[in-house]
Amino acid sequence: MSENKKLGYGKVGNLGAALYAVSALFFPYIQYRPNRVLTGEAYRLWQIDGMQGIIYCAIMLVISLLLFVLPHKRRFMRALLTLAAVFMTLFSLGQSAASLTSGDSIARASMGAGFWLSLASVFLMLSAARLEYVHDRLFQNALTLFSLSIFFVLLFLGVFDGLSVMREYLNRKETFLSQASAHLILASTSVGAATLLGVPLAFALFSRKRLERAVFFLVNLGQTIPTLSLLGLLMVPLGYLSSKYQIIKSLGISGVGFWPAWIALFIYALFPILHNALAGLQMVDPAVTQAAFSVGMTKNQVFYKVQIPLAIPLMISGVRTALTQAMGNAVLAALIGGGGLGSLIFLGLAQSAPDLILLGTLPLVLLTFLTDALLGRVVVALDKGGSL
Amino acid sequence: MIQTKNLTKIYNGITAVDNVSLEVPSGELCVLLGPSGCGKSTLLKMINALVPPTSGEIFVNGKNTHDIPVELLRRGIGYVVQNVGLFPHYTVMRNIGVVMKLLNKPKEDIEKRALFLLDLIGLPRSYASRYPRELSGGEAQRVGVARALAADPAILLMDEPFGSVDPLNREHLQNSFTEIQKTLKKTVLFVTHDVSEALMLGDRILLMQEGRIVREGTPGDLVFQEGDNFSQAFFGSEMALKLLSRYRVGQAYTKGMKIQNAACQPSRVGEAIPCLVSGNMPLSEALSLMIINGCRELAVSGDGFPQGTLSFESLLSYFRKGAPNVQ
C-alpha cells in the first residue's frame, strides 16, 4: 500500500488505539469496595452511574475509531487525539471514582485492570505519536510535557480525590510528604556523595591499571551483596561504633535508621558511577589525545578541554543509572527505620491495604521516570561529539 | 628550517632511530620514505617532542628544541597524522582555530582565518559549523591539514597524512596539497611508505632503513642514479613511471609544432582525430593516453599554454639527461 493511502499510526500506535477501545469496553475499569479492606466488585466503564460512564466510554471509542480512520499523513491531528486519549483515561477514572464513592467516606474506589490497560495503550500511542515527529525534538518534548501536565492539572484540581489512593494520601498527607522528601534526600544525597567520590576516583584510577583492578574488586564485591543483606551487615559495625564512640553517636549514626541505609545506597551507587566515569575517560580516542598534545595544549588543557568534555556524557549516564537504582533501593531503608516511601509500602503490606502500597509506589515510579528522563536529556545535550 | 644532529631513539633496547643527522632547509618539502617500522614516524615525533630522544639534538629555526617549552614548540609546528585526531566535540571551525585560541588570538581573526583555510583546502564554508562525525574520511583529512596550517607555522610535520583515504581521494588530496605548498612554501617533513607519493610530492627524499638514512636526493636522482639493493628493491623497477606524475605536459612539449603524423587510431566512428590534451596534464596520464590510443604524438592546447605537440620522442629527450629539476 502506498504511503499516503495508509491509515492510522504505524503498527505500534494502531495496537495502542485498539487496546484503548478494548480497555474501555470489556475490562473492569474500576474496583469498588464498601470499605478499605473488604474485597469489592468490578465495574466496566459504561456500567458507571447511568449516562456518565456511557458517555466517557463513547468518547474513548470515538477517539480510538478516529485514530484508525485518519489518513497517515495527518500526524498533527493524531497527536492531538493522543493527548485527548490521555485526558479521557485519567478524567474518566477520577470522575467514576468520585461518583461511586460520593457521600460515603468509608467506601473505596481504585483502579481496575481496564484502567491499567488503558494507561498502557496510551503509552503505546504516545510513543507512536512521538515517533511520527522523529526529526522534531521540540514537538516530541511538548507531547510528553503536555501529557504530564494533563495528569498534574487533574491531580491539583482534585479530580482524583475520590480514588482510594488519594483518600489514603489525604488521610496521611503529613506522613506522606515527610516520607517522600526523606526518600528523595536519601537517594539524592547518597548518589551525590558517590558522585563526589566516584568521579575524582575515576580520574585517579585512569591509566593506573593495577590500582584500578584492586579498587574494582572492592566495588564489585559491594555490588554483589544483596541490598537487604548489606543493610543487615551494616547494622553490626555501625551499632558497635556508635556504642563505643560518643562522637559517632552524637552525629546520629547507629545500627538502624537513616545512616546505615544511606551508606548502603552510597556503596551501590559507587559502582555505576565509577565504572562509567572511568569508561568515559578510557573511551577517549588516543589519536585525539595525541592531537591535543601535538597542537600545543598543556597537560591540564588536554584534561579540561578534551578528556573531560568527551567523558562527561558517559559519566552522567552513570549517575543516571545510579540514581534510578537508588530510588528503588531506598524503599528498603524503611526496614531498618530509615524512612522513605518504603515505610508506606511496608505498612500497606502489613495492613493488606493495596491503596497504601500504591501511595508509596506510584509517586516513586513517577519521580524515577522524571529524573531519568531529565538526566537523559542532559546527556544528549552534552554529547556533542556523538560518541553515545 | 629543521635540523637534527646525531639523533638516536632506543625503545626497550631496540634502536628505532640510529644516529640520524638531517637538515630540511626553509621552504623545502622533504619526504622521509621507508618501509613500516624503519623509525620514520618516531623521528618525526621527536621533532615536536611527542617522543623524547635518547640522545642527539634537534634545531627548529636554528633554536635547540631542548630550550623551548614543549607547548610553545608545538604551537609553532603544524602536525598532520593519518588518523587525523580531530576533536569530536568541536565544530570544524573550532578544530581549525584551536592553536590560534591557545595563542590567545582574537575571535574575529580566528573565524576569518578558518574560513580562509576552508577555501584553501577546498571545502565549502558551510562546513564550519559541522562536527567531525559529519565529515567523510577525505574531508576530515583536509580539515586536519587546515588545523595544522591555522596558526601559519613555518614548519609542517606530516605523518602519512593521506594514508587512510581511498586512492581516488588520495590523488585529489596530493594534488591540492601540491598546489597549497606552491603558494605557502612551508618547511615540510613528510613521512610516507608510498614510493609514488614520495616521488610525486618531495623536493628531496630521504630513504630510511632500520633507523638510518641510507640514501638521499631529489626524486630524479633517486630514479636515475643507481642505488644499493635495498633501495632498488624498495623503489621497484616501475619507478620511472611513478616519477612521470611529477611533471606536466606543459614542461615537456614542443611549442608551435603541428601534428606531423596524426597517427591516432581511428576512433569508433572510423575517423582519425588527434588526441588533444591540456598543458596541466601529468606526463604519466599523457603516456597512458599514447598507449591507449596507439599514437606517438598528442596535440597540446588550452589552460594558457600555446598550441604545440608532445611526442613520445620529446618525452624521452626531456628525461634523457636525468630528471629535470622543475619547481
Side-chain angles (χ1 to χ4, degrees), chain A residues 29-33 41 43-45 47-49 52-53 56 88-112 115 158-167 355:
Chain A
Y29 206 76
I30 208 155
Q31 293 276 347
Y32 173 81
R33 283 167 297 158
E41 41 198 313
Y43 288 86
R44 290 182 178 78
L45 192 51
Q47 289 171 322
I48 289 158
D49 195 24
Q52 198 185 9
Y56 296 148
M88 281 312 295
T89 297
L90 296 170
F91 185 72
S92 59
L93 174 77
Q95 290 302 97
S96 326
S99 79
L100 276 175
T101 58
S102 62
D104 184 351
S105 62
I106 314 172
R108 294 302 177 104
S110 55
M111 303 82 144
F115 168 76
V159 171
F160 301 123
D161 286 356
L163 275 175
S164 53
V165 179
M166 287 307 286
R167 293 246 167 127
D355 303 323

Side-chain angles (χ1 to χ4, degrees), chain A residues 242-305:
Chain A
S242 84
S243 65
K244 189 93 189 257
Y245 299 104
Q246 194 55 38
I247 181 154
I248 289 177
K249 194 172 187 179
S250 65
L251 283 172
I253 297 177
S254 68
V256 291
F258 180 81
W259 286 106
W262 190 91
I263 293 171
L265 290 178
F266 172 81
I267 292 174
Y268 275 104
L270 204 52
F271 176 75
I273 290 172
L274 186 61
H275 189 272
N276 276 39
L278 198 57
L281 285 171
Q282 285 165 345
M283 231 179 53
V284 178
D285 185 353
V288 171
T289 324
Q290 200 199 45
F293 279 114
S294 75
V295 298
M297 287 192 189
T298 62
K299 217 171 171 194
N300 273 337
Q301 283 171 326
V302 175
F303 191 58
Y304 290 112
K305 287 176 176 236

Side-chain angles (χ1 to χ4, degrees), chain A residues 285 287-299 301 305-307 309-310 383-387, chain B residues 45 48 50 70-71 74-75 77 79 81 83-90 98-99 101-102 131 133 147:
Chain A
D285 185 353
V288 171
T289 324
Q290 200 199 45
F293 279 114
S294 75
V295 298
M297 287 192 189
T298 62
K299 217 171 171 194
Q301 283 171 326
K305 287 176 176 236
V306 177
Q307 288 177 308
L310 287 176
D383 187 24
K384 291 190 185 131
S387 51
Chain B
K45 283 180 183 167
N48 67 353
L50 284 175
V70 280
E71 287 79 27
R74 289 173 187 154
R75 285 171 202 170
I77 298 179
Y79 184 58
V81 281
N83 37 9
V84 209
L86 292 180
F87 303 120
H89 58 309
Y90 283 4
V98 70
V99 185
K101 184 90 186 292
L102 290 172
Y131 283 94
R133 72 187 128 96
R147 181 172 68 183

Side-chain angles (χ1 to χ4, degrees), chain A residues 310-332:
Chain A
L310 287 176
I312 255 184
L314 210 56
M315 284 184 190
I316 294 184
S317 27
V319 176
R320 182 182 168 195
T321 312
L323 194 59
T324 313
Q325 208 179 7
M327 292 284 272
N329 278 340
V331 166
L332 295 176

